[in-house]
Amino acid sequence: MRATPAALAASLILSALALTSCATGDTTMPDRNPGASRPPFKTSSPEPIAPTGAPAEVPTTKWEALVADLAALGVTGEPELVSAESVTFADGSLGCGKPGQSYMQAVVDGMRVVVRVGSKTFDYRFGEGDRPKLCER
């Protein structure tokens, strides 16, 4: 059975009316809690995310790079190892991303090494290489 041009036109008009009737009116979602305001989304945490991992020995190359970085920052004194752990980080921020920055979206095997010099604690992260990244709080 073949549709006539008039039947096709009528079908199109009815479809258009049905669609526009669905689109008119109040399209906002009802407020389930009218007095409350939702806080804005956070794109990253304000503090470093403390990953958990297995205790690990710090390789000499990583330790020397960490000590050199502390010296470049003007930190004097002998660093004391607080903790060292092997960690799998969720992305290239190595667990200490900063707001507004974008990072490689890939799982990264690395280390978290925390040292203390005097009364200050330093949280260092290593990705797959020996270059330290100071995770500032």
Side-chain angles (χ1 to χ4, degrees):
M1 183 170 186
R2 230 170 155 200
T4 64
L8 284 174
S11 176
L12 286 173
I13 290 171
L14 288 174
S15 296
L17 286 173
L19 289 174
T20 54
S21 68
C22 290
T24 59
D26 186 10
T27 59
T28 60
M29 295 291 289
D31 192 356
R32 296 179 194 263
N33 194 357
S37 68
R38 188 177 64 84
F41 287 113
K42 291 184 178 181
T43 55
S44 65
S45 66
E47 293 185 18
I49 299 168
T52 58
E57 293 289 322
V58 181
T60 305
T61 54
K62 286 184 178 11
W63 183 259
E64 289 171 351
L66 184 149
V67 171
D69 191 68
L70 287 169
L73 294 172
V75 177
T76 58
E78 188 65 31
E80 170 192 341
L81 181 64
V82 174
S83 67
E85 54 192 348
S86 294
V87 179
T88 300
F89 298 103
D91 60 29
S93 72
L94 305 181
C96 50
K98 295 181 181 176
Q101 297 288 322
S102 58
Y103 299 93
M104 173 184 65
Q105 297 300 302
V107 175
V108 179
D109 290 327
M111 288 189 81
R112 176 179 187 214
V113 180
V114 179
V115 297
R116 184 177 304 121
V117 179
S119 62
K120 281 191 90 171
T121 303
F122 300 89
D123 182 353
Y124 276 98
R125 310 293 171 94
F126 291 89
E128 294 174 353
D130 291 331
R131 193 169 128 210
K133 176 179 182 177
L134 179 60
C135 204
E136 299 180 51
R137 296 177 189 215

